[in-house]
Amino acid sequence: LAKRAVELDRASPYSCCVVGNAFSLQKEHDTALKFFCRAIQLAPDFAYAHTLCGHEHAAKDDFDNASKAYETALLHDPRHYNAWYGLGNIYFRQEKYSDAEVHMKR
């Protein structure tokens, strides 16, 4: 799928996210981040790409950058539930359970 997406449109932010997801599944978080950042360069208001960056940062236990990425996603789309969940998950992993609950319920 990733190869086909790149063949169809190499300069698409969606293609970059497909390829990034493929690397993420292989636990190649740094490479995945490069593709998600490229998607953001191509479409700065693409909330999903910001959220995917947040997931990769969180997978590397980089909670500060993960939070920033999720918050940026929410600036572009306040109803982007994946970003709300990501923030809640970070708070949960930091044992800030009341904050986690608030974000998970949004």
Side-chain angles (χ1 to χ4, degrees), residues 50-66:
H50 289 282
T51 299
L52 292 172
C53 281
H55 292 336
E56 294 308 310
H57 287 299
K60 295 170 40 171
D61 293 331
D62 182 357
F63 298 138
D64 288 337
N65 282 321

Side-chain angles (χ1 to χ4, degrees), residues 49 56-57 67 69 71 81 84 87 95 106:
E56 294 308 310
H57 287 299
S67 294
E71 289 167 1
Y81 68 91
W84 285 114
L87 281 172
E95 299 181 3
R106 292 205 90 171

Side-chain angles (χ1 to χ4, degrees), residues 18-74:
V18 169
V19 175
N21 276 327
F23 281 108
S24 180
L25 287 171
Q26 299 301 315
K27 306 287 190 233
E28 296 183 35
H29 303 298
D30 291 324
T31 305
L33 268 169
K34 289 178 184 178
F35 280 94
F36 298 143
C37 288
R38 177 67 178 141
I40 292 168
Q41 286 178 331
L42 295 168
D45 60 343
F46 189 21
Y48 186 55
H50 289 282
T51 299
L52 292 172
C53 281
H55 292 336
E56 294 308 310
H57 287 299
K60 295 170 40 171
D61 293 331
D62 182 357
F63 298 138
D64 288 337
N65 282 321
S67 294
K68 290 175 189 173
Y70 293 135
E71 289 167 1
T72 302
L74 292 169

Side-chain angles (χ1 to χ4, degrees), residues 70-105:
Y70 293 135
E71 289 167 1
T72 302
L74 292 169
L75 286 174
H76 295 292
D77 182 0
R79 295 179 50 166
H80 193 64
Y81 68 91
N82 290 328
W84 285 114
Y85 173 82
L87 281 172
N89 192 39
I90 287 173
Y91 287 126
F92 183 82
R93 290 173 66 184
Q94 294 174 328
E95 299 181 3
K96 298 177 182 176
Y97 300 119
S98 61
D99 290 334
E101 182 179 15
V102 167
H103 287 80
M104 295 280 193
K105 287 184 175 180

